Amino acid sequence: MDFKNKVVVITGASSGIGKALAEELAKRGANVVLGARQYVTLCEITAELEAKYQVKALAVQCDVSKESDCEMLVKQTLITFGKIDVLINNAGLSMRALFNDVDLSVLKNLMDVNFWGTVYCTKYALPEILKTKGSIVAVSSIAGYRGLPGRTGYSASKFAMNGFMESLRTENLKTGVHVMVACPGFTTSNIRVAALAKDGSAHGETSMEEGKMMTSEAVAAIISDGIAERKRTLIMTGQGKLAVWVNKLFPAFADKKVFDLFAKEKNPLIR
């Protein structure tokens, strides 16, 4: 795909991977629609992108856990641009708490944002993407292939997202619509700082060594290339590919290795 004059909708676009995707795709000539709750931040980003890359950019305040907001995101896109070529479901929340300790409202919140946000946006955008034979992308995680301790709600929401996207891909094998799941490795962003603690408050600090992680910009470039090449799945690191492979073939061994890895976290939840 040549992104010149394509219309790309990105959720969770005010920071991290979403913001980096907006920059990367605008640089490649796409007109971008940025959805997130932080409307002022979105307006600042869109102004910068328009000035820097001579593209059109639209900011839409959107809480993806609300179906009506997702519907309005699509409507505003169509009012402004008249079409949608690519939808990137990037908005997401993480968590860090043992299931025994966590308030169940935290898991519901994660499902509402990570899973239902993807479903809502896709439902309203799909009729338009069928017209353009465009792409629907979900930014998932290795946690959608392998459950992670202290992330029960996060893993459950990403497993659900992956299953939804796989079903959607199969339904659209003959329609010309491209469906892709992108699974970055651990990425330097604010997702761990904003991760929900057991009571639903923001965790406030990262529990991992950020220096060795992928940058949001590197992830955005890989995802953009994957859309252009109409890839099926992107698992972006050797560690991620190994985790998926080992979990399929040697699940009990994978349990032990994942336990050992997360026991080395800063202030570990498991010992």
Side-chain angles (χ1 to χ4, degrees):
M1 177 189 290
D2 178 1
F3 287 103
K4 186 73 172 176
N5 295 322
K6 300 294 185 183
V7 177
V8 182
V9 180
I10 307 166
T11 65
S14 61
S15 64
I17 293 172
K19 181 181 178 182
L21 277 164
E23 174 100 17
E24 180 67 28
L25 290 162
K27 182 168 64 177
R28 299 186 187 206
N31 299 315
V32 292
V33 180
L34 310 188
R37 291 174 298 174
Q38 290 77 28
Y39 183 64
V40 173
T41 300
L42 289 182
C43 290
E44 292 170 351
I45 295 170
T46 55
E48 291 172 4
L49 294 178
E50 288 186 334
K52 189 172 181 180
Y53 297 112
Q54 305 303 304
V55 297
K56 295 178 181 178
L58 174 67
V60 180
Q61 189 170 30
C62 177
D63 179 345
V64 297
S65 69
K66 299 176 180 178
E67 182 181 351
S68 59
D69 279 19
C70 298
E71 182 179 16
M72 185 56 63
L73 175 65
V74 171
K75 284 184 176 179
Q76 288 294 323
T77 301
L78 295 175
I79 289 169
T80 303
F81 295 109
K83 66 169 184 171
I84 300 174
D85 294 290
V86 180
L87 168 66
I88 304 179
N89 293 293
N90 168 73
L93 279 176
S94 187
M95 66 170 286
R96 187 172 185 267
L98 294 178
F99 181 72
N100 190 50
D101 302 327
V102 73
D103 191 294
L104 288 177
S105 64
V106 172
L107 273 67
K108 184 179 185 304
N109 196 359
L110 285 156
M111 289 298 295
D112 284 346
V113 173
N114 297 354
F115 173 66
W116 282 110
T118 297
V119 171
Y120 293 149
C121 290
T122 301
K123 178 64 175 177
Y124 290 105
L126 180 57
E128 304 304 319
I129 292 174
L130 281 164
K131 295 174 186 176
T132 59
K133 299 189 185 303
S135 297
I136 297 171
V137 179
V139 179
S140 185
S141 169
I142 298 304
Y145 289 94
R146 162 70 230 187
L148 303 180
R151 281 84 177 167
T152 48
Y154 182 70
S155 286
S157 67
K158 294 299 187 179
F159 267 82
M161 175 191 280
N162 287 3
F164 168 71
M165 294 293 284
E166 188 171 272
S167 295
L168 187 70
R169 180 190 299 113
T170 307
E171 288 182 4
N172 285 280
L173 277 179
K174 306 294 185 179
T175 67
V177 171
H178 165 231
V179 178
M180 183 177 83
V181 174
C183 297
F186 293 117
T187 306
T188 54
S189 71
N190 67 348
I191 192 168
R192 278 168 299 284
V193 175
L196 302 184
K198 63 184 180 181
D199 60 356
S201 62
H203 196 261
E205 63 176 355
T206 182
S207 60
M208 296 184 175
E209 175 56 55
E210 302 273 327
K212 298 179 181 179
M213 295 182 182
M214 298 179 72
T215 65
S216 295
E217 291 74 19
V219 172
I222 293 170
I223 291 174
S224 299
D225 288 344
I227 297 169
E229 297 166 14
R230 297 176 80 85
K231 292 287 186 70
R232 182 182 185 279
T233 306
L234 293 176
I235 298 177
M236 299 184 197
T237 64
Q239 182 186 43
K241 292 173 183 176
L242 182 63
V244 172
W245 180 77
V246 170
N247 196 57
K248 283 182 177 180
L249 297 181
F250 309 104
F253 177 73
D255 286 347
K256 182 179 184 304
K257 297 304 290 184
V258 170
F259 184 99
D260 291 345
L261 175 65
F262 280 84
K264 295 176 183 176
E265 279 188 300
K266 187 191 304 182
N267 301 318
L269 297 173
I270 54 174
R271 292 177 173 84

